């Protein structure tokens, strides 16, 4: 594979052996390691050793794990907030309720999409929303405050 954004041979060897990078994730990885080397003086092999990255020989899984590690390293506060948002969203969701939050928390609204198939669904959903009231409040506060 030819890489447009990755120039370091160690990164290329690692990617070809362990990862499946799309165009955008290749760009993300290339930019991350370029910044890491220029700003902190840490090269790819030092980073891999420091992070103690364990791979499972499943390219899709390993790619997701690797991207998660570099995203958390690059933007630890945003990663923490997004994990909180994901947890709260999953807590609120149910079979007939979809939760949508603004991408990268760049907005101040929460969207709930409620699917109703019967009159019984109305009572079930109202009961569910009442039970999840505090999680919904916490989620909207998190979105508005960015954490």
């Amino acid at each position: 594979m030819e890489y447009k954004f990755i120039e370091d041979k160690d990164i290329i060897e690692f990617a070809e052996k362990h990862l499946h990078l799309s165009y955008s994730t290749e760009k993300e990885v290339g930019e991350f390691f370029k910044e890491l080397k220029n700003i902190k003086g840490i090269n790819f092999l030092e980073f891999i050793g420091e992070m103690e990255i364990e791979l499972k020989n499943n390219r899709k899984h390993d790619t997701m794990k690797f991207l998660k590690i570099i995203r958390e390293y690059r933007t630890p506060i945003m990663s923490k907030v997004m994990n909180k948002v994901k947890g709260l969203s999953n807590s609120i969701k149910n079979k007939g309720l979809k939760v949508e939050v603004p991408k990268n928390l760049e907005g101040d609204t929460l969207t709930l999409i409620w699917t109703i198939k019967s009159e019984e669904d109305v009572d079930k959903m109202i009961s569910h929303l009442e039970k999840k009231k505090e999680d919904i409040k916490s989620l909207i506060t998190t979105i508005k405050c960015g954490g």
Side-chain angles (χ1 to χ4, degrees), residues 122-138:
V122 175
D123 292 331
K124 285 182 182 178
M125 189 58 64
I126 290 172
S127 174
H128 175 74
L129 291 172
E130 189 62 41
K131 288 177 192 171
K132 297 299 179 176
K133 185 178 186 176
E134 294 306 314
D135 284 347
I136 295 168
K137 287 180 180 180
S138 181

Side-chain angles (χ1 to χ4, degrees), residues 60-112:
K60 183 176 180 180
H61 177 269
D62 291 346
T63 300
M64 289 176 21
K65 183 176 181 178
F66 184 74
L67 292 172
K68 183 178 187 237
I69 289 168
I70 66 173
R71 288 172 181 152
E72 286 176 354
Y73 188 91
R74 190 178 204 182
T75 56
I77 295 170
M78 180 58 119
S79 294
K80 184 177 178 182
V81 171
M82 291 306 288
N83 286 337
K84 181 178 180 181
V85 166
K86 188 175 183 179
L88 287 167
S89 295
N90 287 338
S91 167
I92 297 165
K93 287 180 192 175
N94 79 0
K95 188 176 180 183
L97 184 65
K98 184 177 176 184
V99 179
E100 293 180 355
V101 297
K103 186 176 181 180
N104 296 322
L105 303 183
E106 294 173 351
D108 60 358
T109 60
L110 166 66
T111 303
L112 300 176

Side-chain angles (χ1 to χ4, degrees), residues 6-16 18-19 21 29-30 32-34 36-38 41-53 55 66 70:
I6 301 174
E7 299 169 1
D8 185 307
K9 67 176 176 56
D10 292 326
I11 302 171
I12 292 171
E13 286 177 17
F14 181 86
E16 288 179 347
H18 300 288
L19 307 175
L21 299 176
V29 168
F32 171 75
F33 285 106
K34 192 173 196 175
L36 192 64
K37 187 169 186 167
N38 292 339
I42 300 172
N43 71 29
F44 176 75
L45 295 177
E46 288 174 307
F47 180 82
I48 296 296
E50 182 181 314
M51 293 290 111
E52 299 177 1
I53 297 172
L55 303 173
F66 184 74
I70 66 173

